Amino acid sequence: MIDKISWITVYPEIVLLAMACVIALVDLEVKTPRRTVTYLLTMLTLALVAAMQAAYAVGGEERFGFGNMVVSDQMGNWLKCFATVAVMVTLVYGRPYAADRQMMQRGGELFSLSLFALLGMFVMISGNNFLVIYMGLELLTLSSYALVALRRDHATSTEAAMKYFVLGALASGFLLYGLSMMYGATGSLDINAVFKAISSGQVKHQVLVFGLVFVVAGLAFKLGVVPFHMWIPDVYQGAPTAVTLMIGGAPKLAAFAIAIRLLVEGMLPLAPDWQQMLMVLSVGSLLIGNLAAIAQTNLKRMLAFSTIAQMGFVLLGLMSGVVNGNTFSASNAYSSSMFYVVTYVLTTLASFGIILLLSREGFESEEISDFAGLNERSPLYAAVMAVCMFSLAGIPPMVGFYAKLSVLQALIASGQSAHLVLAVFAVMMSLIGAFYYLRVVKVMYFDPPVGASAITAPLDVRAVLSVNGALILVLGLVPGGLMDLCAKAVKQMLGA
């Protein structure tokens, strides 16, 4: 018999699953092309779930349910809360775009698939068992494949979905094979039991490292880092922009969560091994992501390579937590990574929100040249986009500057000379990255406008976009609250 605590642990997931099914059924009877009824139901569901997750996180209690297969802790609850808000914002930005392209004419799968994708993220974040994490991952990826192909009559979207499906299946195979190797070596699928088995020293190190290589490869694909990155630019460019934001936003929080669950909570004794792997991945991501982005003229593709470079910074934080078995800086390093990925998602939402706003029926505003003279057409939207570019480049006082600074501080605090070299390398790559971000600002403010047509947007889009842009600036000026939240969540996860 399932105990009461188990049910309490997954109440938000139950609500989300039930409402996703209800919305899918209600949508069968809705005939309006903009799907107003299902949209409002989706927004109410997401608001309720976000409030529940925030209440769980503020409560601060750590709970285990369903035979320790599921965990509810501060880190997981905050990440789920942020992911829910990210999906809400994505749907606010993406609904007018989807309606203009008849993506909701046959049905409102955009809303139900988004809810199922979010449910997959919840399961990934809460998983305390290898199979539970993998089930959540598959729910997210299968929903994402369908979302990318949602424009059935659009050849580019269909091609992107096929590439995503093939490469995603390969990456899932890597991860599953690595987890099966870990199970074979330790005799358990439970993350805490795996940690104890590895710590005991009774398992052959070579077997563990062999499995670890495949686990890290699978995680690298989900984070979109080199050399498992080639799906990112193709899918970002080929998918409908609303779906690109759905893939590039909230799922990064879930990918960070499973990296923490598997590598830190489950395989921390193997830190010297996986830290070396993460170091190679981060160096490659910073180098290739920034250099390749310079050559792009398509803004979505440029932001795709930018994502690869940004995830390289997240890996720098993850690899600097444990030095020679000493965990003194672990909470600082992992909380800096969590802060980085949260603020990156916040900035990504606003940048793609502007792209969606400027897109109109029959026109995809995704080339950098499409933003020429935006300041003359709309100073507000140009300012929001400039704030996003400055933040991604790490220019103060935007939140991206503090995010990069916190990761570099954690890297240097480890006291390793190699980490100091990495920090210098990361700063140099950020300088290169500033070029292509500032190029967008230059085009908006100094190039003549391509057209004089007025920029119109629904009230909810304008309001959310303004708040989104303001948060990037405000959190850069006063980052302490969010940083403390991340630090407390990570300390509870580490048991510190």
Side-chain angles (χ1 to χ4, degrees), residues 397-409:
M398 310 308 164
V399 71
F401 166 76
Y402 191 81
K404 283 181 168 59
L405 179 63
S406 62
V407 168
L408 293 174
Q409 285 177 333

Side-chain angles (χ1 to χ4, degrees), residues 155-337:
T156 307
S157 296
T158 306
E159 179 188 353
M162 286 297 295
K163 290 178 180 176
Y164 191 18
F165 173 73
V166 172
L167 293 174
L170 184 65
S172 296
F174 278 156
L175 183 61
L176 191 60
Y177 185 68
L179 294 177
S180 68
M181 289 290 296
M182 287 294 173
Y183 169 68
T186 62
S188 178
L189 295 169
D190 183 89
I191 286 178
N192 297 328
V194 168
F195 177 85
K196 292 176 182 176
I198 297 173
S199 301
S200 69
Q202 302 298 313
V203 185
K204 285 189 176 180
H205 186 72
Q206 293 88 341
V207 178
L208 292 172
V209 172
F210 186 71
L212 182 63
V213 169
F214 285 95
V215 170
V216 171
L219 291 175
F221 178 90
K222 299 307 173 187
L223 285 167
V225 295
V226 174
F228 306 95
H229 66 289
M230 279 315 299
W231 67 275
I232 293 265
D234 289 340
V235 172
Y236 270 44
Q237 183 179 6
T241 307
V243 177
T244 301
L245 180 52
M246 185 67 70
I247 294 171
K252 292 292 185 283
L253 300 169
F256 168 80
I258 62 170
I260 288 286
R261 299 287 187 211
L262 294 176
L263 298 181
V264 177
E265 291 191 330
M267 307 174 195
L268 194 62
L270 298 175
D273 299 298
W274 56 255
Q275 282 175 334
Q276 293 179 47
M277 300 177 198
L278 296 188
M279 180 175 67
V280 174
L281 296 174
S282 63
V283 169
S285 300
L286 288 166
L287 182 64
I288 294 176
N290 283 307
L291 293 180
I294 293 174
Q296 308 306 315
T297 58
N298 182 284
L299 185 56
K300 284 167 65 177
R301 199 169 181 89
M302 189 204 84
L303 290 174
F305 282 107
S306 159
T307 295
I308 296 167
Q310 300 287 344
M311 290 302 104
F313 259 97
V314 174
L315 295 185
L316 287 179
L318 287 175
M319 60 157 284
S320 59
V322 180
V323 179
N324 297 326
N326 192 338
T327 59
F328 69 95
S329 62
S331 61
N332 181 37
Y334 302 142
S335 62
S336 69
S337 281

Side-chain angles (χ1 to χ4, degrees), residues 403-441:
K404 283 181 168 59
L405 179 63
S406 62
V407 168
L408 293 174
Q409 285 177 333
L411 198 61
I412 295 170
S414 64
Q416 297 290 296
S417 57
H419 288 184
L420 181 60
V421 173
L422 275 177
V424 173
F425 174 77
V427 171
M428 292 174 62
M429 291 299 103
S430 294
L431 290 174
I432 293 174
F435 168 77
Y436 57 83
Y437 291 125
L438 295 179
R439 181 177 61 183
V440 178
V441 178

Side-chain angles (χ1 to χ4, degrees), residues 83-104:
T84 306
V85 173
V87 171
M88 285 182 71
V89 173
T90 299
L91 293 177
V92 170
Y93 293 159
R95 179 173 167 245
Y97 175 94
D100 288 342
R101 284 150 185 78
Q102 290 78 48
M103 290 169 62
M104 298 186 291

